Amino acid sequence: MDYKNFPKFFIYSIIGCLTMPGVLFGPAMVGILVDQANFTESYAGWVMAYGSAGSALALIVISGYIHRINLKKLSYICLSLAVLIDIYCSLSVEPSFSFLALRFAIGVVATIANIAVYTSIASLNNYERGYGLFVMMQYSISGLGLYYLILYSESIGAAGLYQILALLNFLALLLVSQLPNMQSDPSAEESTESEMTVLLSSVALLAIIGFGLHEMSGVSQFTFIERVGVSISIDSQSLSNIMLIASLLGIPGSMVCIILGNKFGLLPPFLFGIFCCLLGMSILLIEKTFMTYALRMCLIGFGWSIALPYIQSHLASIDKKGSALAAGNSFATIGGAAGAALGASLIGLTSNYNMLLQVSVLIYILAVILIILSIKIRGTHREK
């Protein structure tokens, strides 16, 4: 295995993880807002949804201009703003529209640095292993973060939560200098044509939409999964332990991508990963107990960490300059926002979690079908 680019992949992955707390710590953040700041579960879900919507807007704009933007320089500005916004949020945590607007803004600015990480990884050789390492880092940091945020939620409080987020953005700001200086493409008009040609191809469209639905399904469950545990009387210590173990299982899962890379193609490891995810997402529909909850979390932690880097690698292979990857992340973020909003709406309507679990499984099945079709079409084109 070629380890030449792994030090760079490691630094890029740290920056990426520091700029995506909503994805990594979502359940704990919702729990703190509900328990420590008097948010309803539905309103806390909308806080997450607004942040995802801001990210989606940033990615939609970037995907059409990515060849002409110096993401490294822009990241310095955006992360500086993110630090200031999070500090202000720590002083004004309350269920109000102004707070939702601030979380929308943080979604916009933090996403600039995050997509810079994805395109930086795609610019290097063995990028599929780079995405595997990135996912492994996400699960490691998510596991530790969820464990301590849930366990010490009362001590941290809502204000403390956003002070921590400000610190994470500040650390990311200090590391931005390690990103490569990817020069913008001077042939702007020609660049736009090539981007649109890529994005409107059947391979790209199926993968991009499928990735969006994939994240919509996952986030709709993930955002409220801590509350599901609370609803079946699992105590905070046990929830923290389960979250930690499930996240750490993402490490061996992502190692599949790091070790195998593209050796056996994308489809076999992807199918194995989604089988684990589907089984995990469905198990709570059968029975809600401590054991089924723990098993669900472990299966998702392991399976998701296998499937995700292969989806990202597939998008990177469509266009190494990053347009398909940016568009895919845009739709994934839109899906995440829609998933959090869907979860908030369904819980608000039904006051239980069964409908949310059922709908998320159906959405996931549709997502998998679209991604498989894209991979198969891509393989057919390569054979020709």
Side-chain angles (χ1 to χ4, degrees):
M1 192 194 324
D2 185 4
Y3 292 95
K4 179 181 177 182
N5 291 319
F6 267 55
K8 293 180 179 178
F9 289 147
F10 181 75
I11 296 295
Y12 300 166
S13 297
I14 291 176
I15 299 171
C17 290
L18 292 173
T19 54
M20 52 193 304
V23 174
L24 303 185
F25 314 132
M29 292 169 66
V30 168
I32 289 175
L33 289 175
V34 172
D35 295 332
Q36 309 301 323
N38 298 319
F39 282 61
T40 64
E41 289 186 356
S42 178
Y43 209 97
W46 282 110
V47 171
M48 306 305 294
Y50 268 71
S52 297
S55 297
L57 176 63
L59 287 166
I60 288 172
V61 174
I62 287 173
S63 64
Y65 298 91
I66 197 165
H67 297 171
R68 288 166 280 170
I69 297 175
N70 189 318
L71 289 173
K72 181 177 180 178
K73 290 183 178 179
L74 196 55
S75 294
Y76 280 112
I77 300 171
C78 290
L79 286 174
S80 298
L81 291 172
V83 172
L84 296 176
I85 293 171
D86 274 331
I87 291 174
Y88 184 79
C89 283
S90 72
L91 303 173
S92 58
V93 186
E94 60 180 8
S96 64
F97 180 76
S98 61
F99 188 76
L100 293 178
L102 288 170
R103 301 322 298 167
F104 179 89
I106 203 75
V108 172
V109 295
T111 296
I112 304 298
N114 194 257
I115 195 61
V117 168
Y118 281 98
T119 55
S120 296
I121 293 174
S123 69
L124 301 175
N125 293 328
N126 298 317
Y127 58 84
E128 65 279 350
R129 291 191 168 103
Y131 290 122
L133 181 61
F134 187 15
V135 171
M136 185 180 76
M137 293 286 291
Q138 290 175 41
Y139 274 85
S140 302
I141 293 174
S142 177
L144 292 172
L146 288 171
Y147 179 83
Y148 286 107
L149 285 174
I150 293 173
L151 189 60
Y152 298 107
S153 60
E154 290 186 13
S155 300
I156 293 170
L161 170 65
Y162 289 102
Q163 290 167 7
I164 291 172
L165 299 187
L167 176 61
L168 296 182
N169 282 317
F170 180 71
L171 293 174
L173 177 62
L174 296 179
L175 293 172
V176 166
S177 61
Q178 301 301 312
L179 294 176
N181 287 301
M182 299 174 70
Q183 299 299 318
S184 57
D185 191 342
S187 56
E189 195 171 319
E190 182 181 334
S191 173
T192 301
E193 288 182 13
S194 68
E195 285 167 353
M196 293 309 298
T197 300
V198 170
L199 296 178
L200 293 177
S201 67
S202 59
V203 173
L205 283 174
L206 287 169
I208 290 167
I209 296 171
F211 192 22
L213 293 173
H214 180 272
E215 293 302 297
M216 180 182 181
S217 173
V219 171
S220 65
Q221 281 203 16
F222 185 69
T223 301
F224 296 96
I225 199 64
E226 187 262 355
R227 307 314 296 174
V228 174
V230 171
S231 73
I232 54 178
S233 303
I234 300 177
D235 62 88
S236 295
Q237 179 66 66
S238 298
L239 277 174
S240 296
N241 292 337
I242 291 171
M243 294 280 185
L244 177 61
I245 294 169
S247 294
L248 293 180
L249 280 174
I251 296 176
S254 57
M255 286 294 292
V256 171
C257 187
I258 295 173
I259 294 172
L260 296 182
N262 204 23
K263 186 176 181 180
F264 299 105
L266 296 179
L267 208 50
F270 172 71
L271 289 174
F272 177 68
I274 61 102
F275 172 76
C276 293
C277 290
L278 274 174
L279 183 59
M281 295 177 81
S282 304
I283 197 167
L284 285 178
L285 291 172
I286 301 171
E287 189 177 10
K288 295 183 182 66
T289 65
F290 180 94
M291 288 303 299
T292 57
Y293 183 87
L295 184 58
R296 181 266 180 211
M297 295 299 294
C298 291
L299 283 169
I300 292 289
F302 182 70
W304 206 273
S305 65
I306 298 174
L308 183 58
Y310 280 105
I311 296 173
Q312 293 168 340
S313 297
H314 175 55
L315 286 165
S317 72
I318 297 172
D319 175 25
K320 287 295 295 292
K321 290 184 178 180
S323 63
L325 192 59
N329 278 316
S330 171
F331 271 74
T333 308
I334 292 172
L342 175 67
S345 299
L346 289 175
I347 291 171
L349 288 173
T350 63
S351 299
N352 64 64
Y353 302 98
N354 287 333
M355 182 63 71
L356 172 61
L357 295 172
Q358 293 168 5
V359 171
S360 62
V361 169
L362 292 176
I363 294 172
Y364 192 77
I365 292 172
L366 176 59
V368 168
I369 292 172
L370 295 179
I371 295 170
I372 290 174
L373 285 174
S374 176
I375 294 173
K376 297 291 286 184
I377 294 172
R378 176 77 170 157
T380 303
H381 288 173
R382 280 179 170 174
E383 290 175 3
K384 292 180 180 179

